[in-house]
Amino acid sequence: MTRGDVPIGANPNGDTIAAIATAVAAGAGSVAIVRLSGPAAEVIGRRLFLAPGDQAWDSHRVLYGHVVDPADGRRVDEALLLLMRAPRSFTREDVVEFHCHGGLLAVRRVLELALAAGARLAGPGEFSQRAFLNGRLDLTRAEAIAEMIAARSRRAAELAMAGIDGGLQRRIAGLRERLLDQLAELEARVDFEEDLPPLDGTLVRAELEAVRGELERLVAESRQGELLREGLRVAIVGRPNVGKSSLLNLLSRRERAIVTDLPGTTRDLLESDLLLDGVPLTLLDTAGIRPTDDRVEQLGIERSRQALAGADAVLLLFDLPVGWTAADQELMDLVPEGVPLLLVGNKLDALPPGAAPAEAVPPAPEAPVVAISALTGAGRDDLVAALLGHCGAGELQGLQVALNGRQRELAAAAATGLERSLEAADQGLPWDFWTIDLRGAIAGLGAITGEEVSEAVLERIFSRFCIGK
Ligand SMILES: Nc1nc2c(ncn2[C@@H]2O[C@H](COP(=O)(O)OP(=O)(O)OP(=O)(O)O)[C@@H](O)[C@H]2O)c(=O)[nH]1
Ligand SMILES: [Mg+2]
């Protein structure tokens, strides 16, 4: 089913869905919302809600009253009710929201009553799916809402907001329009070459090339967006006692890890989630790597190696006063190819007076070196800047829109398709050869915004949303 098959405002199933729309937990949240959408939403609302006095059931007006159990008339919660009649609602269907007290029990009871009164429990993302099917949002906006909910940093939320505003939809739809224009010109020539003015292939080629370039830029920028959305896993590794746990504590600004002067203190992998300059990060403190007969330590070291292999970036810590050793070099050789690596000389404060830190620096031109003191905090800002810069997070500030994984795959495939069209052009093939992959590229961009997308794909996208959205 595509959007075109569904008349605006229609409900393909004809049923009314209900879900708790807010995060609920015992003892938390002062307000919780149960949301209903569908043709029976108002009927169910009226059955469950008692509004005293002469309050009118007008659309977009808040009613005050009580949710009651129609079976015995007992009051379940004191609440507000918000009625939004179609099509002026998120789903473009009739929507009723019960704003109940927070916590777990009352809100669950209200949901149960709504289900008993004829609503069906909504699947994940089903409200958004209806909003999409009824033409209220395109797919990029719907996905941006889910990204807003999942955002772990201010910058990620800003990117999501740009998506909700339609920034990505406009970019993609604009590129698709340009391709459609070219396709129309080409197809017209395929059918009516002699009736039309001649087509300048170089202009068509230039336009396809320009769109391809823009798609590739979007694909490249999406990696930065991913950093903001998903965060970086950064492993701190090094020999025992070089100060890995101290660095974790410094960056997370709390005493997260145990620090002692005994080598081999950290045995297990320790994770700490934090934000550095607005970029979400999971920092991994690891057991110091060295040969040992201690069984527990050996297991810890094995985990250190795994963390090293699975990290997006590695901070390799060494002891500045001791200098770069053969053991440090061996550790560096363990870092997988292509993983951003930063060499961090620690204990700057303990360097003998007069000794320049540069003297202790290893011969590793490929990895930047930063000198810090995890004890005093000296060099912390340099380290953060070097880490983010090294991971490509430095260019995040100028980022306007960012494709998610699904969108990136489609955009990359569209760019590849255009490349093949350009090859056909360069080989001087007839117009219809140009159009084959061009059509595929247009369909790919249509799948990003949802103009051309199958029901199976839609189900998959919306099933990743949370319940009640
Ligand atoms: N002078 C000085 N001492 C430090 C610094 N950073 C850590 N230390 C000390 O070095 C010792 C080891 O620190 P940890 O943070 O436990 O080192 P680690 O690398 O986690 O050690 P393991 O868990 O055993 O591998 C402790 O006594 C720390 O106080 C520093 O910047 N300067
Ligand atoms: Mg430690």
Side-chain angles (χ1 to χ4, degrees), residues 39 113 163 225 247 262 284 289 317 401 406 445:
L113 290 175
L247 177 59
L262 302 171
L284 303 171
I289 299 179
L317 228 61
V401 294
R406 180 190 81 88
L445 298 187

Side-chain angles (χ1 to χ4, degrees), residues 16-21 32-49 57-61 63 67 79-86 88-100 110-111 114 119 127 468:
T16 297
I17 50 173
I20 299 172
I33 295 175
V34 174
R35 181 195 250 175
L36 278 81
S37 178
E42 185 172 344
V43 173
I44 297 172
R46 285 176 184 261
R47 183 166 325 153
L48 303 184
F49 195 76
W57 284 72
D58 292 339
S59 187
H60 294 80
R61 279 269 289 275
L63 301 180
V67 181
L80 298 176
L81 183 142
L82 175 57
L83 167 66
M84 291 172 277
R85 291 204 183 103
R88 288 179 57 215
S89 72
F90 177 59
T91 54
R92 288 202 170 159
E93 301 174 341
D94 285 350
V95 167
V96 163
E97 287 181 2
F98 295 97
H99 293 230
C100 316
V110 173
L111 176 63
F127 291 91

Side-chain angles (χ1 to χ4, degrees), residues 108-288:
R108 279 207 186 142
R109 188 86 191 96
V110 173
L111 176 63
E112 279 168 19
L113 290 175
L115 299 178
R120 168 175 69 74
L121 189 64
E126 205 172 350
F127 291 91
S128 301
Q129 189 169 1
R130 290 187 173 192
F132 168 76
L133 289 172
N134 289 330
R136 166 74 168 68
L137 335 137
D138 76 295
L139 211 43
T140 66
R141 286 184 177 84
E143 286 178 292
I145 292 174
E147 279 152 19
M148 177 64 92
I149 292 168
R152 285 172 59 196
S153 68
R154 206 193 71 205
R155 283 288 295 131
E158 285 170 1
L159 265 188
M161 193 55 227
I164 291 172
D165 278 342
L168 188 55
Q169 189 272 337
R170 282 190 293 276
R171 280 280 283 276
I172 298 293
L175 296 176
R176 186 165 174 273
E177 283 297 315
R178 287 167 67 180
L179 296 182
L180 279 168
D181 286 344
Q182 300 309 313
L183 182 66
E185 291 288 343
L186 289 166
E187 286 194 330
R189 290 330 183 277
V190 172
D191 295 334
F192 314 106
E193 178 94 69
E194 52 288 352
D195 306 331
L196 291 167
L199 183 60
D200 185 347
T202 55
L203 291 181
V204 178
R205 199 197 175 289
E207 184 68 349
L208 299 188
E209 177 70 63
V211 172
R212 189 188 64 101
E214 286 223 26
L215 284 174
E216 282 183 349
R217 204 161 324 129
L218 278 172
V219 169
E221 284 174 359
S222 70
R223 315 243 175 258
Q224 269 96 47
E226 206 155 84
L227 288 185
L228 284 177
R229 289 195 187 105
E230 279 151 38
L232 283 171
R233 278 178 83 77
V234 179
I236 308 175
V237 297
R239 292 186 298 110
N241 229 26
V242 292
K244 298 178 293 298
S245 300
S246 305
L247 177 59
L248 180 90
N249 290 345
L250 175 75
L251 291 178
S252 32
R253 297 183 194 277
R254 62 199 171 112
E255 296 303 307
R256 177 85 176 80
I258 297 173
V259 167
T260 73
D261 55 2
L262 302 171
T265 298
T266 304
R267 297 299 187 90
D268 216 341
L269 217 55
L270 206 68
E271 295 195 4
S272 182
D273 289 326
L274 50 127
L275 281 177
L276 290 183
D277 281 0
V279 179
L281 213 92
T282 301
L283 213 53
L284 303 171
D285 181 21
T286 64

